Amino acid sequence: PYGVVVGATRPPAEYGLDLAQAPTTPILGPGFGAQGARLADVRRIYGGAAPRVIASVSRDALGAGPGGLADRLRTLAEQLSAGVAA
């Protein structure tokens, strides 16, 4: 088993990557939130591989502070679900 890291700020196809060739490979997707990519665009960025993306949103989540972390994580999870379904 293996996984790959494919940034979210540029579509993988721009680099000749066809994520459909590895249909079960998990994909770590850095670049969401503070780095500019939007969770709402997961499907547009990763295409059919969107359900396998583990979106990295740590900076965005931690920016909510200790008191707002749980609510921010819920919001980010909703945004990711909507982005995968789009």
Side-chain angles (χ1 to χ4, degrees):
Y2 62 93
V4 295
V5 178
V6 180
T9 56
R10 296 223 189 233
E14 283 187 20
Y15 298 100
L17 295 175
D18 180 3
L19 299 175
Q21 290 185 8
T24 61
T25 301
I27 301 163
L28 176 61
F32 289 96
Q35 292 177 304
R38 296 172 358 117
L39 291 171
D41 296 329
V42 171
R43 173 78 53 187
R44 181 187 59 76
I45 296 166
Y46 295 98
R52 295 183 278 125
V53 172
I54 303 163
S56 178
V57 294
S58 55
R59 275 200 228 165
D60 191 340
L62 293 174
L69 183 59
D71 286 338
R72 185 64 186 148
L73 288 173
R74 276 189 283 280
T75 298
L76 291 168
E78 290 168 4
Q79 290 174 5
L80 179 58
S81 291
V84 169

